[in-house]
Amino acid sequence: MDDLPVYDVVLLPPPDVNARSAELSRRCAEPAPTEFVLREDGPYPHVSLYMANFTAARCAIAVERLRDISARTPALHLAADRFAGNEHGMFELFYVKTGAVTRLQEDVIAALAPLRTGLRRLDPVGRVLADHRLTAPPPARDNLDRYGYDEVGDLFRPHVTITRFRERGRRAEDATLPPAESFTATYDTLALCVMGEHGTCTELVETFALAADPVQPSPVAS
C-alpha cells in the first residue's frame, strides 16, 4: 500500500482567493522557515474533504463518481471565520461549517470510501496512521476504521492550510494578517488531487465544476 498514491478530494477556491491564499503563504514564509509555500499553480490552496489510497483502476472509478456528484451539487458559499495555528505548526484559515459542505463531504465519502485500499501510511502532520489510531480519541479512531480518514462528522472543520512552520510552536502574527472575512467566497470547483507531504495538493488529477446556483450558508452546530 505504501507504493499507492494518496489522493485528496478537495474544493478549490475561486481565482481571487486562490491568489490571496498563495500570497499570504509567501508572506508567512518571509520571517520564519516553513515546510511549504502555496502557489496558484501548485501546491494548491484547497479545502480537503476526503483523503485515501486508490489503485489506478479504482482512481478511474473515483473520477466518474466525483463527476456525478459535481453534476448534482450546487456551488457552495463559504464564510471565512478565523485564522488559527496548532501544535503541529499548521497555520490554517477556517470556514464556517455549513449543512451544504457537510452533505458534500458525506456524498464524497459514501461514493469513494468503498474504493480505498487500506489505510494511508501517514497523515498530514506526519504521524503513522496505523500507530496513531491506537491512541487517537474514540471519534477519530472510529472514523479511521470506517473511512480511513479521521476528519469526518463532528471532526470535520473546513479549512485551507496556509503553511506549516518548521518551528512547530510558532504562530503567525495577528497584526500582519488580512481580515479572515476577506476570504469568504463561492467555491464552485471540486477536484481530485495527488497529495504530497504535509497535506499539500501537488497535482490535479481532474477538476469538476459544481452547479451554477450557490447554496447559501446555513451553519451547523460544531
Side-chain angles (χ1 to χ4, degrees):
M1 279 181 290
D2 287 356
D3 59 347
L4 289 179
V6 179
Y7 295 95
D8 196 356
V9 181
V10 307
L11 287 166
L12 296 178
D16 60 331
V17 172
N18 188 50
R20 285 188 287 113
S21 298
E23 173 59 25
L24 180 56
S25 186
R26 289 191 293 270
R27 283 170 47 195
C28 287
E30 290 172 358
T34 60
E35 301 286 5
F36 64 87
V37 175
L38 297 177
R39 294 167 50 97
E40 294 176 58
D41 57 353
Y44 300 91
H46 65 276
V47 175
S48 292
L49 299 173
Y50 183 57
M51 302 172 185
N53 292 327
F54 299 126
T55 63
R58 291 188 171 185
C59 182
I61 298 171
V63 167
E64 292 308 311
R65 292 185 178 181
L66 290 172
R67 182 171 289 116
D68 177 67
I69 290 171
S70 66
R72 53 183 167 79
T73 302
L76 303 177
H77 182 83
L78 297 183
D81 182 42
R82 70 192 189 281
F83 293 104
N86 64 28
E87 71 274 18
H88 303 292
M90 299 294 194
F91 174 55
E92 298 163 325
L93 165 69
F94 285 87
Y95 282 95
V96 174
K97 183 179 176 180
T98 66
V101 73
T102 300
R103 286 191 296 274
L104 175 58
Q105 187 195 49
E106 291 170 349
D107 284 351
V108 166
I109 290 175
L112 269 58
L115 302 175
R116 70 181 175 93
T117 301
L119 195 63
R120 292 170 292 129
R121 192 174 76 85
L122 300 176
D123 69 4
V125 301
R127 294 175 297 204
V128 176
L129 277 174
D131 296 336
H132 172 59
R133 79 164 284 285
L134 300 177
T135 58
R141 184 170 63 248
D142 291 347
N143 285 341
L144 287 170
D145 290 345
R146 292 181 66 184
Y147 312 117
Y149 182 60
D150 53 352
E151 296 182 13
V152 181
D154 290 343
L155 300 183
F156 178 41
R157 297 289 183 271
H159 65 274
V160 174
T161 300
I162 300 297
T163 194
R164 186 183 192 186
F165 292 109
R166 291 184 184 173
E167 182 184 343
R168 299 302 190 228
R170 188 178 181 89
R171 298 290 188 269
E173 296 181 10
D174 290 345
T176 67
L177 298 176
E181 295 79 8
S182 65
F183 289 80
T184 293
T186 295
Y187 277 65
D188 61 2
T189 304
L190 187 67
L192 181 65
C193 301
V194 175
M195 195 171 114
E197 291 185 303
H198 316 290
T200 54
C201 283
T202 57
E203 177 186 342
L204 298 179
V205 177
E206 193 82 28
T207 60
F208 314 90
L210 300 179
D213 295 331
V215 173
Q216 294 305 309
S218 176
V220 297
S222 299

